[in-house]
Amino acid sequence: MSLMAENNLKNLRRLAKKYNIRFRLPFEPLPDCHADTFKNIKELGCYRFDTYAENASIRSAEEPWVRQTKSRAEWLAHRAARLFEQNRNEAGWRLGLENDVLRRFAVEVACPRCRARIWKSEIQATIQNNGHYSKRLEERQNSRKPCECSYGKHLYDFYETGTNNLFEDRAEEFILYEGILRSELKKQGPDRVYGLKNTSNLDSLLSSLAPPELANEPGDTIADVVKHTPFSSDVDPLLFPFLVLEAKSESSSSGFDAIQIQSAFPIRALLKLQEDLQSNSPISDPAMAPLVWFLACRGDAWRVYGAYLAPGQNESPTFYEISLLWSGSLLHKDQALQLVLIVDYIMDWARDIYRLDIVRHLKSIVTGEISDQMSFRDSDIFSTCGSVFNWIPPPRSIAAEDIAESSFTANRDQFESSLSTHEAMLNTPIPNTELGSLRSAFISNFRFVCLYITSDLVPSLLEMVGGKYKTRANIESVARRLINFITQFDEVLVMSGRDLELLEMLWTGVSHSSPEAYPEEFFVIMETSWYFSTSWDIQREISCLAISRTAFDVLKKTANFRVKHKGIDKLERSERICHEKAIRDLVDCLTSASSWQVLLAAISCTLVTIYPFPLRKRHDFTPALEALGFGYIREARVQPFIQRILSRKMWAPKKHVTVTRREMKAALQSGMTAEEVFASKRDRRPRHTDMSFKRISEYIYDYAREKGTGTQKDDSGICAFCGFGPHSTKNYAYLNNSPPAT
């Protein structure tokens, strides 16, 4: 070993001690949280090839994979002997053996035809000290049936049919360490790392909006706030890796001690991913403590380690401990069989326990609830296919959430009676089916979704969107986003508070009756859209951002722009005063369409921006607004921006808090008890709780009923605004992608 390599190892040993990483000796006691799992590894490490081979012919009828496991072990022993004779280098040993040792992570475990199992671990994975989940896991394992397809149908595959769509690997990729550790360590990449593949279900969870207490900025997703990969690549990332492999050649001067210390920090990085995920989740389950597997090989000699967390006692720091569980040489058939069975067990653990636990924690962060679900389905993975739909419940819509919190009892009753209204209109019961339903095009929901900001509401808004830490940087960022968004438009409507409430009242029938806001003038940006809800109801929605002049001034001061903001100066020239008649004409035109036109608009997901007319031709002259026009757009701008804010909730006090030693010492010296210190942190609540900047209302419109009462224009009516009737193709000009209508 060169002097440079020796100095590097000394430095790694010093850093490992500094960061509480230690390798446990084989005779030291194992952690209670992983006792059953490690016991299973040790039991598999006692298998003998001759005994296993004798049973293979007896068991092969019901467990055909037993014969294949025997063949794999025998092949590995012969292959290792040949490589040993050739005195191969590291690359030769890796290419000659590694893929076959880890073969189980590359193949499917279920038949693509009958979906029954074509493989099962010799000892199936178990959960430590957890009666509820242990029972559910045992039920799932017992319900699995072996494949009964004839061998010829497996298309001559030597092992199994299909590739494994749950796990992926990375080879020699650099790990990104946190904080100061990044500067203390040289760039290093483990020889191989295995983790979870980014399936559609995991991608859906990671793409979900982060809860307010975790989000740093509006619109942050779970992937933005929960570190989920140790690598820099965001393209199809390897998620929450759980297995590290490091290899050296037989002739290498580096022994297992060097392999261990070289892999110490990658192992710690993977443990911290699991630790951080669990700390952000409301689930607290000691049986699911972080666990990372480590395989070390030097030529034909292999070792299997288990890495875990050892919490310190009496406020001492957490240790990252790595215990040797098995060692052996592939030159011996007994030990080749043992390694095959151990790797198979690790894959079974990763599939039945680890992956589902990761999903459970992610799901609990998304929903804010503790889920007891320990199984789910991926439609593109044979072994998880089944008749279970919607494994994760869809997020509640903003409308449903806010209607439940509001006092709009009449609207809520109408919302809940929607299905009965459809049944009455269709004169037939709604079928209870999984793949379809019936709806009447004569019934649609009018929704008004508005982010309504006055100067009095700015503190509550900034506190909610700014996150649980409410740092100055977070609050300034929120204010800048709001100002940057509204100042990007060439023309901005200006409405009085009275006219803004008139718009909502004409659209949904809801009146807030807040006279104190009537004199206020608001900067307003609006869009309207037609689409189908998740329950296949037609939605006709106006999305609106409204910021009062006084609130805008408060946001300007809060934003603390370092340089002059050109958009703020331009806003005064962008104003277009909107009057009551234009609002009434707008609503009359939008509600004058026939049910057929509304259905076509919903099918095509029509999206329309609302702009002042006539258009301004010169920057130095602003004509008086005569009407509000419609402009067809392909992508919404207002709707996604305001929904990121409206979907947030006021953060709740944390159930579990941390206190630094310095804080605790100072508090104890001042006479407080430890319980009072934790309680003072846990019970901090928001100072501002006025959530009335969320203005969301809904009205279910029955076309036939309203037509009979005369409150809605009938099919022969002509819109006074655009001059066309409901049967005209020009009534909704945007349906045909025409130029903006007036």
Side-chain angles (χ1 to χ4, degrees):
M1 184 183 298
S2 67
L3 180 61
M4 182 179 296
E6 188 173 348
N7 289 335
N8 183 46
L9 287 178
K10 287 182 179 179
N11 183 52
L12 287 176
R13 290 191 187 95
R14 178 184 60 80
L15 287 176
K17 185 176 181 180
K18 174 183 176 182
Y19 286 93
N20 302 322
I21 305 172
R22 61 187 182 192
F23 284 83
R24 304 292 299 272
L25 298 174
F27 57 81
E28 293 188 79
L30 296 175
D32 293 337
C33 56
H34 300 300
D36 285 354
T37 299
F38 291 169
K39 177 184 175 183
N40 292 337
I41 296 292
K42 291 182 177 293
E43 184 176 343
L44 291 170
C46 297
Y47 272 57
R48 295 291 177 262
F49 181 83
D50 292 339
T51 307
Y52 191 85
E54 289 176 1
N55 295 331
S57 57
I58 301 174
R59 298 169 57 186
S60 60
E62 294 184 356
E63 300 173 308
W65 52 83
V66 175
R67 187 185 297 274
Q68 293 177 353
T69 301
K70 169 195 166 185
S71 299
R72 287 177 59 198
E74 197 168 18
W75 185 90
L76 281 174
H78 286 301
R79 181 61 175 163
R82 186 172 181 83
L83 296 173
F84 182 82
E85 292 172 356
Q86 295 172 347
N87 194 25
R88 291 289 190 98
N89 58 17
E90 179 183 339
W93 277 103
R94 291 191 61 194
L95 292 173
L97 281 178
E98 190 175 295
N99 286 337
D100 291 280
V101 171
L102 299 169
R103 174 74 178 180
R104 183 56 57 198
F105 286 98
V107 295
E108 247 295 347
V109 301
C111 175
R113 285 164 292 276
C114 67
R115 294 179 180 171
R117 284 300 178 105
I118 53 179
W119 168 84
K120 185 175 72 172
S121 177
E122 183 69 18
I123 298 177
Q124 298 192 84
T126 54
I127 300 177
Q128 175 76 16
N129 297 329
N130 195 314
H132 177 63
Y133 294 131
S134 299
K135 183 177 180 180
R136 295 191 61 181
L137 175 61
E138 186 177 352
E139 290 173 353
R140 291 203 317 275
Q141 292 171 340
N142 293 335
S143 66
R144 294 166 182 161
K145 304 299 180 183
C147 171
E148 298 180 354
C149 298
S150 63
Y151 182 76
K153 291 183 179 180
H154 286 165
L155 304 177
Y156 309 106
D157 283 347
F158 181 74
Y159 290 118
E160 287 81 21
T161 301
T163 58
N164 193 311
N165 290 319
L166 293 181
F167 307 109
E168 285 281 6
D169 70 303
R170 297 291 187 271
E172 299 182 357
E173 286 198 19
F174 293 135
I175 285 182
L176 297 179
Y177 297 104
E178 79 282 359
I180 193 173
L181 188 57
R182 186 177 304 180
S183 61
E184 292 182 309
L185 287 174
K186 291 175 59 178
K187 283 188 175 181
Q188 60 178 146
D191 286 341
R192 206 160 185 175
V193 173
Y194 274 88
L196 304 181
K197 183 178 180 181
N198 190 23
T199 61
S200 57
N201 284 334
L202 281 169
D203 186 64
S204 174
L205 285 170
L206 291 170
S207 301
S208 301
L209 283 176
E213 63 269 19
L214 294 181
N216 297 317
E217 295 182 0
D220 277 351
T221 63
I222 298 298
D224 294 326
V225 298
V226 176
K227 190 175 181 183
H228 51 280
T229 181
F231 307 116
S232 59
S233 175
D234 289 330
V235 180
D236 194 15
L238 184 71
L239 305 178
F240 299 102
F242 57 85
L243 185 147
V244 177
L245 183 143
E246 189 68 37
K248 299 294 180 185
S249 68
E250 179 70 27
S251 58
S252 172
S253 59
S254 300
F256 275 104
D257 179 59
I259 296 175
Q260 288 179 174
I261 202 65
Q262 185 176 338
S263 304
F265 285 96
I267 292 171
R268 177 183 180 274
L270 304 194
L271 282 171
K272 280 196 67 64
L273 286 182
Q274 298 179 36
E275 182 184 22
D276 293 345
L277 172 66
Q278 294 188 7
S279 67
N280 288 318
S281 166
I283 298 175
S284 178
D285 191 347
M288 303 297 183
L291 174 61
V292 169
W293 301 95
F294 172 42
L295 303 183
C297 60
R298 188 170 183 265
D300 61 284
W302 284 68
R303 292 185 179 181
V304 178
Y305 300 81
Y308 49 89
L309 302 180
Q313 301 293 330
N314 299 324
E315 299 186 4
S316 60
T318 297
F319 279 86
Y320 301 86
E321 299 192 340
I322 306 168
S323 291
L324 176 63
L325 304 177
W326 176 89
S327 63
S329 169
L330 295 185
L331 296 175
H332 303 281
K333 289 184 180 179
D334 286 346
Q335 292 162 13
L337 173 66
Q338 292 163 12
L339 181 59
V340 168
L341 295 177
I342 287 172
V343 171
D344 284 2
Y345 177 87
I346 293 174
M347 203 285 284
D348 191 60
W349 167 87
R351 187 182 195 96
D352 266 357
I353 296 177
Y354 177 73
R355 183 172 185 266
L356 300 183
D357 187 51
I358 294 294
V359 171
R360 192 164 65 104
H361 279 93
L362 288 173
K363 182 179 174 183
S364 69
I365 296 174
V366 173
T367 62
E369 300 174 355
I370 298 178
S371 170
D372 63 350
Q373 185 167 341
M374 281 297 293
S375 64
F376 66 94
R377 307 296 191 264
D378 281 290
S379 59
D380 56 341
I381 300 170
F382 300 138
S383 57
T384 63
C385 287
S387 58
V388 179
F389 295 90
N390 297 327
W391 65 276
I392 179 172
R396 298 178 64 192
S397 69
I398 298 174
E401 176 183 324
D402 282 82
I403 286 174
E405 296 176 354
S406 69
S407 59
F408 305 149
T409 307
N411 286 342
R412 183 176 64 248
D413 293 340
Q414 291 172 338
F415 185 80
E416 294 172 348
S417 63
S418 173
L419 285 182
S420 60
T421 306
H422 281 282
E423 285 185 344
M425 175 63 67
L426 296 169
N427 197 25
T428 184
I430 303 296
N432 181 24
T433 61
E434 293 177 341
L435 302 178
S437 188
L438 291 176
R439 293 292 185 271
S440 171
F442 286 100
I443 299 174
S444 57
N445 298 346
F446 284 75
R447 298 185 65 229
F448 183 80
V449 181
C450 178
L451 178 56
Y452 177 86
I453 307 174
T454 63
S455 57
D456 293 337
L457 295 175
V458 168
S460 294
L461 175 69
L462 294 179
E463 183 168 19
M464 183 191 73
V465 184
K468 61 180 179 180
Y469 300 112
K470 300 190 300 299
T471 63
R472 184 177 183 84
N474 283 354
I475 293 176
E476 287 180 358
S477 175
V478 175
R480 288 176 192 146
R481 283 170 178 258
L482 287 166
I483 290 176
N484 290 338
F485 181 79
I486 200 165
T487 55
Q488 69 179 312
F489 294 90
D490 293 331
E491 296 190 300
V492 177
L493 296 174
V494 176
M495 295 185 185
S496 67
R498 182 187 297 275
D499 288 342
L500 191 60
E501 294 196 5
L502 173 66
L503 174 63
E504 182 176 5
M505 191 274 293
L506 292 174
W507 190 249
T508 63
V510 173
S511 176
H512 292 276
S513 300
S514 50
E516 68 280 358
Y518 286 173
E520 284 249 42
E521 286 192 337
F522 289 79
F523 298 118
V524 178
I525 301 293
M526 285 192 295
E527 290 173 353
T528 183
S529 56
W530 291 255
Y531 60 93
F532 289 108
S533 69
T534 55
S535 58
W536 291 103
D537 291 320
I538 296 175
Q539 301 284 339
R540 304 162 76 172
E541 179 178 306
I542 291 180
S543 303
C544 174
L545 171 63
I547 304 178
S548 72
R549 289 186 185 274
T550 54
F552 188 81
D553 292 337
V554 174
L555 290 172
K556 278 195 303 184
K557 294 179 182 177
T558 306
N560 193 24
F561 288 106
R562 270 55 171 188
V563 296
K564 188 175 182 180
H565 195 287
K566 295 181 180 179
I568 295 176
D569 296 334
K570 190 188 71 172
L571 183 61
E572 185 177 349
R573 300 191 302 271
S574 304
E575 296 178 7
R576 300 293 298 274
I577 305 297
C578 182
H579 47 76
E580 179 181 335
K581 182 179 184 303
I583 295 172
R584 291 185 180 275
D585 289 344
L586 169 74
V587 175
D588 284 345
C589 189
L590 291 176
T591 57
S592 65
S594 67
S595 57
W596 173 247
Q597 288 173 321
V598 173
L599 176 61
L600 289 179
I603 291 173
S604 59
C605 295
T606 300
L607 178 65
V608 175
T609 185
I610 299 172
Y611 68 92
F613 186 83
L615 298 175
R616 186 174 52 192
K617 304 296 184 182
R618 296 167 49 184
H619 292 292
D620 58 348
F621 176 73
T622 303
L625 184 143
E626 298 177 6
L628 294 174
F630 306 140
Y632 176 83
I633 53 176
R634 295 188 178 276
E635 293 185 0
R637 289 193 287 178
V638 177
Q639 186 183 52
F641 180 81
I642 65 173
Q643 284 190 350
R644 289 192 192 115
I645 299 175
L646 294 176
S647 60
R648 289 175 172 266
K649 296 180 180 179
M650 191 66 73
W651 61 271
K654 293 174 62 177
K655 295 180 180 178
H656 305 286
V657 296
T658 57
V659 180
T660 65
R661 290 185 180 182
R662 181 177 296 178
E663 289 177 326
M664 180 62 75
K665 184 178 179 180
L668 293 177
Q669 289 177 348
S670 67
M672 295 178 65
T673 64
E675 291 77 10
E676 290 173 341
V677 176
F678 285 109
S680 66
K681 278 206 164 188
R682 188 179 300 113
D683 294 336
R684 290 179 183 174
R685 297 185 178 274
R687 293 175 56 196
H688 307 281
T689 57
D690 188 350
M691 306 287 281
S692 55
F693 53 80
K694 295 184 177 184
R695 286 209 171 179
I696 302 174
S697 55
E698 185 165 359
Y699 173 71
I700 297 179
Y701 169 68
D702 184 339
Y703 183 85
R705 184 183 66 210
E706 297 292 339
K707 177 183 173 183
T709 62
T711 60
Q712 177 74 11
K713 292 181 175 66
D714 60 22
D715 285 357
S716 61
I718 301 297
C719 175
F721 180 39
C722 65
F724 296 105
H727 294 296
S728 170
T729 58
K730 297 182 180 179
N731 178 259
Y732 275 9
Y734 37 84
L735 289 178
N736 299 317
N737 299 357
S738 302
T742 58

